[in-house]
Amino acid sequence: MALYAVILMYEIPCLINYNCQQANDLRCIIPTKPRCVSSYRMKRVKGDEDACSSSSEGPTESCKKVRKLQPSKEKHQEEEEETDVDLCEFGFDWALLPQEILLNIFQFLPLLDRAYASQVCRGWNQAFHMPELWRCFEFELNQPASSYLKATHPDLIKQIIKRHSNHLQYVSFKVDSSTESAEAACDILSQLVNCSLKTLGLISTARPSFMELPKSHFISALTVVFVNSKSLSSLKIDDTPVDDPSLKVLVANNSDTLRMLKMSSCPHVSPAGILCVADQCHGLRELALNYHLLSDELLLALSSEKHVHLEHLRIDVVSENPGQHFHTIRKSSWDAMLRHSPKFNLVMYFFLYEDEFGPFFREEVPITHLYFGRSVSKDVLGRVGLHCPRLVELVVCANGLRPLDEELIRIAKRCTQLSAIGLGECEVSCSAFVEFVKMCGRRLSQLSIMEEVLIPDHKYNLDEIHWEVSKHLGRVWFPDMMPTW
């Protein structure tokens, strides 16, 4: 079998170049009558015989004359012909190629290359439609006027729905910013009535185009998948108009299998809706949602004895309007969550204005990964050092013009598991930064600091600091440079 695979690797490019012509559309790529490789070989041999028999001296005399004039060359050609026949009989008899090897090779090919390869012979054309190759598919829906990305050809979409809809298991949709692309995705979803998906992802590559659709149209299409998929385990529906009733349909049909749910920026879902999911989907291990859906009741539901240990909880804290007020989560709720799932990762993204951090970091919070997408004050970072002992990763995009020396030293002392840090538009003295690295030591696996962040002082300048930091990290380190362009 290994020998078959090696030969196939060398022969595929030649066969494809011979049998396939460049096509602008998939209607030209997928043939209705694939050409057989062996027929090409037979035509070539027959052509050689015809050339010999067309001589005026007769086939026998002509061939003898050639042998008399060039005996050594004819003998050499016969040896080559014998060798060529042996290779053809061994390498071109695709009927003997094990199906599992052909399937394995096709799985490594992009869709367009598989379509070209399907023209080689009937066996390869049948392999192109094997169910194993259509379990995972990504629909790319883009409009030429609004996106430079290539889109899945409409003819291919029709063929998938007609021949492979019952084979689909892992499906995702990538749509651009146009409403037409989002509508096309909903049209495809509404036709998947014979499939039982295991994973579904709706991804907006630009602005959330699903939010511009009529809510009823989107819910109707999504409900088709929820009802027909009895084993849905992963669902990613960020930036969509999903609502509480549709989540109830999801739970009613997939409560035993749902393991991951990502639904950030879903304004039509209420805390009661997400609480219904947590109450009935006891196998849920990964959850992503906005902070307005987070409640003490939700954390207690995720901490119940019936629920499995949560592995990953992501919370996006986003300010829709300046001066927005946020509710507070009790420390006892976080403690219950930590007792039930002591190894879970709590990831929080903050996109707030400086005066909106009042309710946060007043008490101990089991955050492991913390990202500040906007400017954050020294006071907030000081509270992070006091109340986030489980912190593993910290990213600060901006702070201002006040040095963060004391705050970094406090974080190094209290956050003993910190292994990654990134600082953007901030200021830190070189001495304080060296002390921070010295306290953290070699557990700092990721250290991303812009050169503009470091302020030279009486101990270190920018030319010396990388040597001192490299010594404490145990590896060569340099600050990040801002590209000149």
Side-chain angles (χ1 to χ4, degrees):
M1 289 186 182
L3 186 56
Y4 277 129
V6 171
I7 293 176
L8 187 60
M9 291 173 62
Y10 284 100
E11 299 294 347
I12 285 176
C14 298
L15 294 172
I16 293 178
N17 289 335
Y18 170 76
N19 289 280
C20 301
Q21 297 180 353
Q22 296 297 325
N24 296 324
D25 143 345
L26 282 173
R27 288 174 294 183
C28 300
I29 297 176
I30 305 176
T32 55
K33 293 183 178 180
R35 299 178 65 179
C36 183
V37 176
S38 58
S39 63
Y40 165 67
R41 171 65 184 157
M42 294 174 63
K43 290 179 180 179
R44 186 166 65 91
V45 174
K46 184 178 180 181
D48 294 342
E49 294 176 354
D50 293 343
C52 185
S53 61
S54 63
S55 173
S56 59
E57 299 179 4
T60 304
E61 291 78 2
S62 177
C63 291
K64 287 181 180 180
K65 184 176 181 179
V66 171
R67 290 193 185 97
K68 291 179 181 180
L69 294 175
Q70 298 178 344
S72 60
K73 184 176 180 179
E74 183 67 22
K75 183 178 181 181
H76 182 64
Q77 288 179 349
E78 290 178 357
E79 292 176 355
E80 284 186 347
E81 184 66 22
E82 291 177 0
T83 305
D84 187 33
V85 169
D86 293 339
L87 287 176
C88 289
E89 290 177 354
F90 185 74
F92 282 75
D93 193 356
W94 303 114
L96 298 179
L97 186 68
Q99 193 78 357
E100 59 271 17
I101 291 182
L102 185 60
L103 173 62
N104 191 34
I105 294 174
F106 268 46
Q107 287 174 339
F108 284 97
L109 295 177
L111 175 62
L112 189 61
D113 292 341
R114 292 207 307 263
Y116 282 136
S118 68
Q119 298 186 16
V120 172
C121 62
R122 291 183 179 88
W124 284 27
N125 184 264
Q126 295 174 357
F128 178 79
H129 295 287
M130 285 190 291
E132 293 83 355
L133 296 175
W134 298 96
R135 289 175 180 172
C136 180
F137 194 82
E138 181 178 80
F139 293 92
E140 297 187 50
L141 306 173
N142 307 296
Q143 301 300 316
S146 59
S147 176
Y148 63 91
L149 300 174
K150 293 184 178 179
T152 306
H153 198 279
D155 289 341
L156 178 59
I157 295 176
K158 292 179 181 178
Q159 184 177 153
I160 291 174
I161 294 174
K162 181 180 179 180
R163 300 188 59 174
H164 302 292
S165 61
N166 59 328
H167 303 148
L168 295 174
Q169 294 182 1
Y170 310 93
V171 176
S172 62
F173 292 83
K174 278 188 176 181
V175 301
D176 59 7
S177 59
S178 65
T179 307
E180 293 81 2
S181 298
E183 289 178 348
C186 290
D187 292 339
I188 297 173
L189 285 173
S190 62
Q191 297 180 66
L192 300 181
V193 293
N194 296 321
C195 68
S196 182
L197 299 184
K198 292 185 178 180
T199 66
L200 174 63
L202 305 181
I203 305 168
S204 299
T205 57
R207 60 187 177 90
S209 53
F210 286 106
M211 294 299 298
E212 299 179 2
L213 295 178
K215 180 183 172 183
S216 59
H217 180 43
F218 175 82
I219 296 299
S220 176
L222 192 63
T223 304
V224 171
V225 177
F226 289 170
V227 171
N228 291 280
S229 298
K230 304 298 183 181
S231 58
L232 194 62
S233 63
S234 176
L235 181 62
K236 187 180 185 300
I237 48 175
D238 299 324
D239 300 302
T240 62
V242 63
D243 58 3
D244 292 355
S246 59
L247 289 181
K248 291 182 179 179
V249 177
L250 168 68
V251 170
N253 293 276
N254 301 273
S255 60
D256 295 334
T257 58
L258 191 62
R259 299 291 180 268
M260 184 186 76
L261 177 61
K262 294 185 177 181
M263 45 180 301
S264 299
S265 302
C266 297
H268 300 292
V269 176
S270 67
I274 191 63
L275 182 60
C276 173
V277 176
D279 279 336
Q280 301 187 44
C281 299
H282 297 148
L284 195 63
R285 296 183 179 275
E286 186 172 348
L287 180 63
L289 66 161
N290 278 70
Y291 186 79
H292 79 275
L293 297 178
L294 185 66
S295 63
D296 295 296
E297 293 78 12
L298 176 61
L299 292 178
L300 294 177
L302 295 172
S303 305
S304 66
E305 294 181 359
K306 297 180 180 180
H307 207 286
V308 300
H309 297 297
L310 197 70
E311 297 176 358
H312 192 92
L313 176 61
R314 169 175 168 166
I315 308 296
D316 291 350
V317 190
V318 182
S319 175
E320 302 294 340
N321 302 302
Q324 182 176 342
H325 296 284
F326 293 88
H327 63 281
T328 304
I329 302 297
R330 293 194 300 267
K331 182 179 180 298
S332 58
S333 301
W334 287 120
D335 292 342
M337 185 73 202
L338 192 59
R339 285 193 301 269
H340 181 264
S341 304
K343 296 183 179 180
F344 89 104
N345 291 320
L346 176 57
V347 183
M348 297 192 72
Y349 286 80
F350 282 87
F351 297 90
L352 303 181
Y353 298 98
E354 290 189 9
D355 57 348
E356 297 174 336
F357 281 95
F360 301 101
F361 310 112
R362 296 293 181 181
E363 295 180 310
E364 189 170 301
V365 184
I367 297 178
T368 56
H369 300 74
L370 182 57
Y371 306 92
F372 293 103
R374 293 177 182 169
S375 179
V376 60
S377 66
K378 285 170 58 68
D379 178 60
V380 173
L381 290 176
R383 300 204 303 261
V384 168
L386 290 174
H387 301 301
C388 300
R390 298 181 72 235
L391 193 63
V392 175
E393 182 177 4
L394 173 65
V395 176
V396 181
C397 291
N399 168 256
L401 301 178
R402 299 174 61 188
L404 300 176
D405 297 359
E406 297 179 1
E407 290 71 22
L408 276 184
I409 299 301
R410 182 181 297 173
I411 290 173
K413 288 181 180 179
R414 300 292 296 269
C415 306
T416 57
Q417 302 180 51
L418 187 69
S419 62
I421 187 170
L423 299 178
E425 298 179 8
C426 308
E427 286 192 0
V428 180
S429 67
C430 289
S431 299
F433 181 67
V434 170
E435 183 65 20
F436 167 80
V437 175
K438 182 178 179 181
M439 295 174 67
C440 294
R442 299 192 178 187
R443 61 185 168 91
L444 279 178
S445 58
Q446 297 182 22
L447 185 60
S448 179
I449 310 296
M450 298 300 298
E451 186 180 46
E452 292 79 6
V453 171
L454 302 173
I455 307 301
D457 55 18
H458 63 285
K459 286 188 177 181
Y460 304 100
N461 56 37
L462 295 179
D463 295 330
E464 300 170 341
I465 191 171
H466 77 90
W467 292 107
E468 194 68 20
V469 172
S470 300
K471 179 178 68 177
H472 296 299
L473 290 178
R475 64 180 187 273
V476 177
W477 178 87
F478 285 93
D480 297 336
M481 303 289 292
M482 181 68 70
T484 55
W485 47 266

